[in-house]
Amino acid sequence: MRRKIAAGNWKMNGLKASVDELNALKSLTLDTKCDIFICPPATLIEEMVSVSGESLIRIGGQDCHWSKSGAYTGEISAEMLANVGAQAVILGHSERRSLHQETSTIVHDKVIAAWAAGLTTIICVGETEADRDSGATLDVIAEQLGHSIPDAATADNSIIAYEPVWAIGTGRTPTFDEIADVHKFIRTHLNDRFKSANQMRILYGGSVNGSNAAEIFAIPNVDGGLVGGASLRAIDFAPIVVAASQLS
Ligand code: PGA
């Protein structure tokens, strides 16, 4: 059985005072049976690693560069994230793909760099609304999976996140059948390529909240969620963690 994951992506939100949310989350999620990741802005990683302490909550980054170091103004390397205690990194989020022109090949190279630094990668894929309307969803997902996930992926070094772009931050979610179809497609792709595919976790992301998490996480091949808006406050994220835990 695959252990469920509740992962929070804080995006460009959070100042030092927001670390209090992590303290609150710790006390609201004692005795949980799922894996929990929080990916705050890079400025908060070190302090949040220290606050997370012995709890089950692991801290991650939201992106990294494909190079170890060098003349890349404004960028952050995987080694730098690991150096301050991050254990994971989100790569290929749709906001990076669309706002920073990240191709699947770039995502692939970042994944390799992240593994070299010992980070677990949360690799995101997802179609736009136009892709879905034109019936191209599975083609887009196939391209992203095929070119973003390196051949050395395992259940230990990689987590896949399916996030339909049109469901991110919009309050709209696909139907349960639509989620099930794409997750099944992703599972089949993983089975065709990787030995440990059956143990690889596939998260759903896009407008997950405390009210819909339990039903979404119960869909076949959905192993938890990658959560944006509802991960910012402990009071909103805790019920999502509990939903993941109850199904673990
Ligand atoms: P959302 O974002 O939960 O705010 O829709 C999800 C994500 O972008 O990971």
Side-chain angles (χ1 to χ4, degrees):
M1 175 154 167
R2 295 180 296 266
R3 201 171 148 97
K4 301 266 188 215
I5 296 174
N9 171 12
W10 280 16
K11 310 192 180 182
M12 197 173 74
N13 297 291
L15 300 173
K16 277 169 91 80
S18 316
V19 174
D20 290 348
E21 294 298 331
L22 185 63
N23 269 313
L25 186 68
K26 263 171 75 177
S27 44
L28 288 170
T29 56
L30 297 171
D31 304 325
T32 45
K33 293 200 291 293
C34 62
D35 291 330
I36 308 170
F37 292 91
I38 296 285
C39 301
T43 48
L44 297 181
I45 290 177
E46 187 164 15
E47 193 173 348
M48 288 185 54
V49 166
S50 117
V51 168
S52 68
E54 299 297 301
S55 76
L56 287 177
I57 304 172
R58 283 178 270 179
I59 306 301
Q62 299 174 11
D63 182 44
C64 70
H65 200 266
W66 60 81
S67 284
K68 249 183 127 175
S69 60
Y72 299 103
T73 302
E75 297 287 344
I76 191 159
S77 74
E79 197 179 24
M80 291 168 185
L81 295 175
N83 190 232
V84 291
Q87 296 186 56
V89 62
I90 299 170
L91 291 171
H93 189 280
S94 66
E95 286 149 17
R96 300 288 320 174
R97 289 181 188 263
S98 67
L99 301 173
H100 298 268
Q101 291 75 46
E102 280 189 13
T103 61
S104 292
T105 311
I106 292 174
V107 176
H108 171 280
D109 292 352
K110 290 182 169 197
V111 173
I112 301 270
W115 290 346
L119 301 176
T120 299
T121 48
I122 302 174
I123 305 169
C124 304
V125 298
E127 83 286 2
T128 63
E129 186 156 34
D131 295 331
R132 182 158 281 273
D133 290 347
S134 67
T137 297
L138 298 183
D139 292 340
V140 169
I141 302 292
E143 184 283 326
Q144 292 177 343
L145 293 170
H147 294 108
S148 305
I149 311 177
D151 290 336
T154 67
D156 288 329
N157 66 19
S158 300
I159 296 160
I160 312 303
Y162 167 56
E163 300 202 303
V165 179
W166 50 275
I168 294 176
T170 60
R172 289 168 60 202
T173 51
T175 65
F176 295 163
D177 283 348
E178 286 169 338
I179 296 175
D181 285 350
V182 178
H183 278 248
K184 186 169 171 215
F185 180 80
I186 294 173
R187 177 76 57 206
T188 305
H189 174 100
L190 299 178
N191 277 333
D192 289 345
R193 283 184 64 196
F194 306 109
K195 271 208 193 82
S196 59
N198 217 24
Q199 289 312 311
M200 282 182 171
R201 271 103 40 107
I202 309 171
L203 311 184
Y204 167 79
S207 298
V208 173
N209 58 46
S211 312
N212 61 20
E215 280 179 312
I216 292 175
F217 297 171
I219 297 170
N221 288 307
V222 175
D223 303 306
L226 179 56
V227 184
S231 72
L232 294 174
R233 293 174 57 224
I235 196 107
D236 296 326
F237 194 52
I240 298 172
V241 173
V242 170
S245 181
Q246 279 168 353
L247 290 158
S248 286

